Structures are given as C-alpha cells and as structure tokens.
Amino acid sequence: MPVPAAVRVLVLGGTTEARRLAESLAGDRSVRVTTSLAGRVAAPRLPPGEVRIGGFGGPEGLAAWMREHDVDALIDATHPFAAAMSRNAAEAAALAHVPLLALRRPGWVAQDGDHWHSTGSLAEAAGLLPALGERVFLTTGRMGLAAFAGAGLDALWFLVRSVDAPEPPGPARMEVLLDRGPFTLEGERELLRRHRIDLLVTKDSGGDATAPKLTAAREAGIPVVVVRRPPVPEGVPVAATPDEAVEWVRRF
C-alpha cells in the first residue's frame, strides 16, 4: 500500500507556544512542519523542523507561498498583539482555501490585591501615567515606544525592558534593560525595589514567562496599566494550548 503523504503544516511563530507546537509536531512522521518567523528579533530561538525567516509580502504573498508548498493547514501562533499578521493570516487562508487555527495563550486575570487599569491602546495607557506614578516599568516591548514620548510625560522616568534595543522616538527620561524571559518572581521583586518602581505598564500577553512581574507589583501595592489584546479575526477557531493545536492537526 502507498504511504500516505505527510500533512504539511505552516506555523506562524515567534512565541513559546509556537516553539512547543513545533517540538510536538516535529516528532510525528505523518506531519511536516515549517515555522515562519518574522525576523524582528536579532537572535531568535529556533524551533525544530523547517524554519523560514522574513515576511511573505502581505496576505496574497502568504497565500501564494502556501499554494506553492502544498500547505494543508495554517496555524497562527504569533504574539497575541500581532494583529496585522493575524488579519493577514485569516485573509490568506481564505484566498488559498487552507484551514486556519489561532493558537492563543489565555490572557491574565486580575486577582485580589491587584490595582489594574485596563486600556485599549498604548496611547490610552500613556495618558493614564501622570496620575498614577513617576517611575514607570514599561514592559510593552520595543515597538510602540513613541506613544510614551509625549511632552506630557517628560517628568516621568521609564525603565524599558525588551529583548532587542528599541529605536527612537521614546520617553525623554529612560533606561533600557535588554533581557528575555522567563523571569523569576524574586528577580522581579528585586528589579522593582532597586529601581524604585511605582507603576507597571504591560500588554496582556498572557502566559507564565512574564507573569511574575504582576505578582511582584501586587505584593508591592504598585498599580498596573494593562493594555487589552486585540480580538482574533472573526470566524477563526482558537486553541488555548499547543496540545489542543496538535489535536486539531491530527484530524487531517
């Protein structure tokens, strides 16, 4: 009997969940997985299986790539805030008639003792800061720092943590800390103490790797400005874990 062809899966990656998914699928001979990375991080942690780095040229380019490589299934495992890529994935999947799944870790949930201020954008978050604190721990990544460069924030001091060095414009008074998670609770406690942080700003990226900062802020009574994540494109099914995504692939 002829051997069935392997299911060709394209994973739009860049997250811990994407790497774990690739690790699970790479050991399955019935699946051939390719992970696509945007190339925005200088030294990404490469997953097992085939890897491509760089953009596709919009949804039409992604659809063309999937047709050319006979992709059977597309999994959008990008960062929860990569809204443009998620929209492109949904449009490309429709153009190429390829089933699409979004892999999204659950968002964070406020606990007793948290002092959270929910916002819909970085610009909205920036507008809240002067009334909440003076020494800001900014953990929204290196993209979008221009939102915190306004003259109304010049009196504030920012500790900006990101994997790669941010480019201007950015806050007038800031120190950059280059680091990559996962972070420990003890480390986050010490960081808040050493820099005398009185306000934390973060995106609701979810997951455990960067969650200790929220616990440290709760313990210290520090307010947290949380930027809400954008919704998954309408009609796209969602898996909360890599295991759920593996089960979805195995239905093909």
Side-chain angles (χ1 to χ4, degrees):
M1 295 178 62
V3 178
V7 175
R8 183 67 185 266
V9 179
L10 174 62
V11 176
L12 305 179
T15 60
T16 300
E17 289 75 21
R19 190 168 62 254
R20 289 174 180 168
L21 174 60
E23 289 169 354
S24 296
L25 295 178
D28 188 338
R29 292 185 178 181
S30 67
V31 177
R32 184 178 177 187
V33 60
T34 298
T35 300
S36 176
L37 302 177
R40 292 176 179 171
V41 176
R45 295 174 179 174
L46 299 181
E50 299 176 23
V51 178
R52 70 173 302 280
I53 296 178
F56 291 94
E60 294 82 5
L62 174 54
W65 193 95
M66 289 193 292
R67 293 191 196 97
E68 180 182 350
H69 293 84
D70 297 320
V71 170
D72 298 298
L74 175 63
I75 299 179
D76 172 17
T78 56
H79 192 276
F81 281 82
M85 188 65 240
S86 293
R87 289 193 299 270
N88 286 352
E91 186 174 341
L95 289 172
H97 304 289
V98 171
L100 168 65
L101 176 74
L103 174 54
R104 291 288 185 275
R105 68 186 79 135
W108 291 316
V109 178
Q111 301 182 25
D112 290 342
D114 283 327
H115 302 283
W116 286 13
H117 301 263
S118 179
T119 70
S121 68
L122 292 176
E124 186 180 338
L128 296 179
L129 303 190
L132 295 175
E134 297 179 348
R135 297 182 65 82
V136 184
F137 184 23
L138 187 59
T139 65
T140 56
R142 67 187 181 93
M143 310 295 287
L145 287 188
F148 303 92
L153 303 178
D154 286 352
L156 307 185
W157 180 86
F158 290 81
L159 176 65
V160 176
R161 182 165 70 188
S162 62
V163 175
D164 293 319
E167 298 179 357
R173 301 172 61 219
M174 74 172 182
E175 177 179 331
V176 176
L177 173 62
L178 300 183
D179 204 355
R180 186 202 302 262
F183 302 105
T184 66
L185 177 55
E186 186 57 38
E188 299 295 62
R189 287 169 175 159
E190 171 60 20
L191 186 148
L192 297 184
R193 184 200 63 78
R194 184 171 69 252
H195 293 281
R196 296 180 288 115
I197 298 298
D198 60 11
L199 177 59
L200 169 65
V201 182
T202 186
K203 292 178 176 178
D204 180 17
S205 55
D208 298 329
T210 61
K213 64 190 173 189
L214 300 174
T215 303
R218 183 188 315 122
E219 293 176 347
I222 293 173
V224 182
V225 177
V226 181
V227 182
R228 295 186 297 272
R229 58 174 62 177
V232 172
E234 186 176 356
V236 177
V238 178
T241 67
D243 286 345
E244 289 181 18
V246 169
E247 290 304 311
W248 181 79
V249 169
R250 287 178 176 160
R251 295 178 195 146
F252 289 90

